[in-house]
Amino acid sequence: MPHVAHPAFLVLGAFATYLVASYGIDPLLAGLMLMPVFFVFGVAVYQFYYATFESRGTDQGLRGIAFFFGIAFIVQVGLILAFGVDQRLVDASYIGSSVEFGEMRVPQRMLVAFGVALALTTTLALYLSRTFTGRAIKAVAQDEGALRLMGANPVRIKRWAFGIATATCAIAGALLIVIGPVEPGLDRIYIGRTFCVVVLAGLGSMSGTLVAGLILGIAESIVLTTAGTAWAPAVAFSILLLVLGVRPAGLFGR
């Protein structure tokens, strides 16, 4: 089931970080503090989705997509009512400074965000490949019947996976607001990017996700500097269509 509300949870994590950081707490620490809260929130959302659609087993695909679009809309409207349409930002010692590499200067906030994202990706990759629950998460999308024979409950595994995915939105939202200001409607530009990275990487490949994210980021930067800002949002959809036409399984898919 495509989780189209995931970018909305990302923006929700950024605004939650903004609230916690307003008490003088570092944004990254705020994101870590919010991860357990978002985990419980994700578990609750999946449980509601399961009870409403998945357990009935009829037309869950189309209705499920409509459900997550509705969740995304509710999150966006809620953020607008709570914070308005103005952009919000945070302050930290690594925001506003840069690191020099010869004649090149790189914003320190970008290096911090890249380092945290790399550490999070590595941790998730190890968890998914070295633990029974992690391997079950990757297997549940392939064969639920075989997973039951291994002594795992597919519903519990999917609920746990949904909680983990939502928990990562807390720290990812912290990175988002560290990189730049955020506003409630920001999730719209990440829907295409999310699908592009997932399809380009191949389902279940964490290393592929990292490579796909770098490819998309570099491609958008090149288009941004050569063709202007108007063409940058089209990069993700162009790559998505190209990959679906040439290699639907993705670069690292099997």
Side-chain angles (χ1 to χ4, degrees), residues 42-235:
V43 168
V45 170
Y46 174 78
Q47 187 61 37
F48 181 75
Y49 163 74
Y50 173 78
T52 308
F53 299 101
E54 190 173 341
S55 62
R56 300 180 181 181
T58 56
D59 198 23
Q60 65 180 22
L62 181 60
R63 295 183 181 181
I65 292 177
F67 168 80
F68 285 116
F69 265 118
I71 292 293
F73 180 75
I74 291 172
V75 170
Q76 182 177 341
V77 172
L79 290 176
I80 292 175
L81 293 175
F83 297 96
V85 296
D86 297 332
Q87 293 182 331
R88 306 285 175 160
L89 48 82
V90 294
D91 187 26
S93 59
Y94 42 83
I95 298 178
S97 58
S98 60
V99 179
E100 294 185 4
F101 296 97
E103 297 182 355
M104 183 174 57
R105 302 180 65 182
V106 181
Q108 193 173 349
R109 69 183 189 279
M110 296 292 188
L111 294 176
V112 170
F114 177 76
V116 174
L118 182 61
L120 182 61
T121 303
T122 303
T123 302
L124 285 174
L126 291 174
Y127 177 77
L128 292 175
S129 61
R130 301 292 178 86
T131 66
F132 176 81
T133 305
R135 292 192 294 268
I137 289 174
K138 299 176 69 173
V140 72
Q142 301 175 12
D143 194 333
E144 290 191 13
L147 188 61
R148 287 191 178 93
L149 295 177
M150 298 299 294
N153 186 326
V155 176
R156 291 181 180 178
I157 294 298
K158 286 186 282 187
R159 185 166 55 223
W160 183 261
F162 208 97
I164 292 176
T166 308
T168 60
C169 287
I171 187 65
L175 298 181
L176 184 64
I177 200 170
V178 162
I179 291 175
V182 298
E183 51 93 10
L186 194 61
D187 63 300
R188 292 190 298 269
I189 69 173
Y190 283 98
I191 294 178
R193 290 172 175 173
T194 301
F195 278 99
C196 175
V197 169
V198 171
V199 173
L200 181 59
L203 291 176
S205 175
M206 290 301 300
S207 58
T209 301
L210 181 61
V211 175
L214 291 173
I215 292 174
L216 177 60
I218 294 172
E220 284 191 349
S221 298
I222 293 175
V223 173
L224 185 65
T225 55
T226 57
T229 57
W231 290 97
V235 175

